[in-house]
Amino acid sequence: MTTQLLIIWHSRTGAALQMARAAAAGAQAVADELGAGDRFDLQVRPADTVRTENLLAADGYLFAAPENLAALSGAMKECLDRTYYHVLDRLNGRPYGAVITAGSDGEGARRQLERICTGWRLNPIAPTLIVPMRAQTPEAILACKTVPDDWLARGEELGGTLAALLL
């Protein structure tokens, strides 16, 4: 039997994608360490490609997205809007983790994502990681980002924790 972890990401400036990749690396490393590579299916998908069947096939989830204007990024929100009612009451009890990259506090996006996951009756495996990118000017906000190594390590740990829990 195969266990699937679905990592859903959206990123305009690269930070959330870097965190999604770090989580994927951590998840794969744990699966390999446990000798579960042949029964672990890691899916890393951009939010705009996620469909109902992807959510239903997964045993656990990691969401990685930026906060834009004090809310979850539009592309991630659209993904969740598009699939929400099709999977309602069909994902109950599955574990999830979340990463928000933010110019400042990230709390608006965190609350929004956690409310959606609560509606799906998903179980958080850890507090949402809010990665402070400290971008405060239009130029800094729009610029490509490089996530500091200590935050990437936290992303790897979150992905590894999800994989360990699933396996």
Side-chain angles (χ1 to χ4, degrees), residues 80-99:
L80 301 173
D81 286 344
R82 179 172 30 80
T83 58
Y84 187 84
Y85 291 105
H86 299 287
V87 299
L88 190 61
D89 289 326
R90 299 170 75 187
L91 307 179
N92 297 9
R94 296 180 192 184
Y96 83 94
V99 176

Side-chain angles (χ1 to χ4, degrees), residues 1-25:
M1 183 170 154
T2 301
T3 300
Q4 186 180 104
L5 172 60
L6 175 60
I7 298 177
I8 303 170
W9 64 272
H10 172 253
S11 188
R12 279 199 180 108
T13 63
L17 175 57
Q18 290 168 57
M19 291 301 292
R21 287 179 175 158

Side-chain angles (χ1 to χ4, degrees), residues 48-161:
D48 64 346
T49 69
V50 173
R51 303 291 176 251
T52 299
E53 56 269 17
N54 303 123
L55 289 162
L56 292 172
D59 299 291
Y61 312 92
L62 188 131
F63 304 95
E67 179 177 72
N68 295 143
L69 303 172
L72 196 57
S73 70
M76 181 62 80
K77 180 67 168 59
E78 191 279 331
C79 169
L80 301 173
D81 286 344
R82 179 172 30 80
T83 58
Y84 187 84
Y85 291 105
H86 299 287
V87 299
L88 190 61
D89 289 326
R90 299 170 75 187
L91 307 179
N92 297 9
R94 296 180 192 184
Y96 83 94
V99 176
I100 302 295
T101 56
S104 54
D105 72 0
E107 288 298 319
R110 179 195 60 78
R111 281 191 304 274
Q112 192 175 28
L113 181 57
E114 288 176 1
R115 283 186 66 161
I116 292 165
C117 291
T118 297
W120 273 344
R121 293 168 186 78
L122 299 178
N123 290 326
I125 60 117
T128 297
L129 286 181
I130 298 177
V131 183
M133 298 308 296
R134 309 221 190 289
Q136 296 300 310
T137 66
E139 296 78 20
I141 291 166
L142 296 171
C144 291
K145 308 290 187 294
T146 300
V147 176
D149 289 342
D150 60 325
W151 282 102
L152 292 173
R154 291 180 192 188
E156 287 180 25
E157 183 179 347
L158 182 60
T161 300

